[in-house]
Amino acid sequence: MVDIHEDSQNKTKIAELLQYHSTKSDDKMTSLKDYVMRMNEGHNYIYYITCESKKVVENSSFLKKLKKKGYEVLYMVNAIDEYVVGQMKKFEGNKFVPVTKKGLKLDEREDEKQKN
């Protein structure tokens, strides 16, 4: 695993090398750059879920709502993944958000609706 937390000068370059399985990548892995390119309008966050294996995470009840809305979720199945995301915070201006977060809001437009 690359040391993204130790090389802040090259954090962006290193982040471009990271790859994960996702709800839309089938058996292939996807890069963060490809994930961002596939984001729908109004999809302003990089959603992820952590678990011990891809097989277990694919059946998580946390994914149901996001899949229904067409949002892609990254599967982070390595112990270091959550730490790395915590160090990066954002990729190309998009904040990382765990789908297991209590009170998860799916996009900024929903945030605005709730304020009004």
Side-chain angles (χ1 to χ4, degrees):
M1 176 57 77
V2 292
D3 291 326
I4 200 162
H5 60 284
E6 293 178 2
D7 191 351
S8 59
Q9 187 175 9
N10 293 305
K11 191 181 286 192
T12 303
K13 290 178 185 176
I14 294 170
E16 290 178 3
L17 300 174
L18 299 175
Q19 297 210 355
Y20 303 95
H21 288 283
S22 79
T23 53
K24 294 188 177 183
S25 69
D26 299 316
D27 288 332
K28 297 178 183 177
M29 296 185 91
T30 189
S31 68
L32 294 172
K33 191 172 227 38
D34 287 342
Y35 177 101
V36 169
M37 288 176 50
R38 286 192 297 272
M39 289 170 69
N40 299 329
E41 186 178 332
H43 182 161
N44 301 304
Y45 304 119
I46 298 173
Y47 296 109
Y48 70 92
I49 187 167
T50 56
C51 199
E52 65 269 8
S53 74
K54 179 180 179 256
K55 188 174 184 174
V56 171
V57 80
E58 287 175 322
N59 298 312
S60 171
S61 61
F62 289 105
L63 300 177
K64 191 181 249 183
K65 184 177 180 181
L66 287 113
K67 283 182 176 180
K68 187 176 180 180
K69 291 238 182 206
Y71 292 144
E72 184 171 9
V73 179
L74 298 174
Y75 301 154
M76 297 192 176
V77 297
N78 292 310
I80 190 117
D81 289 338
E82 196 165 15
Y83 178 75
V84 168
V85 167
Q87 293 297 308
M88 289 188 344
K89 308 241 188 291
K90 293 182 179 183
F91 179 78
E92 293 188 355
N94 300 286
K95 183 179 173 185
F96 286 94
V97 175
V99 301
T100 55
K101 178 182 171 184
K102 187 175 182 173
L104 175 68
K105 295 180 179 120
L106 295 183
D107 60 42
E108 290 177 8
R109 287 183 293 170
E110 284 191 16
D111 290 349
E112 290 300 315
K113 285 178 193 173
Q114 290 181 356
K115 286 179 186 175
N116 295 328

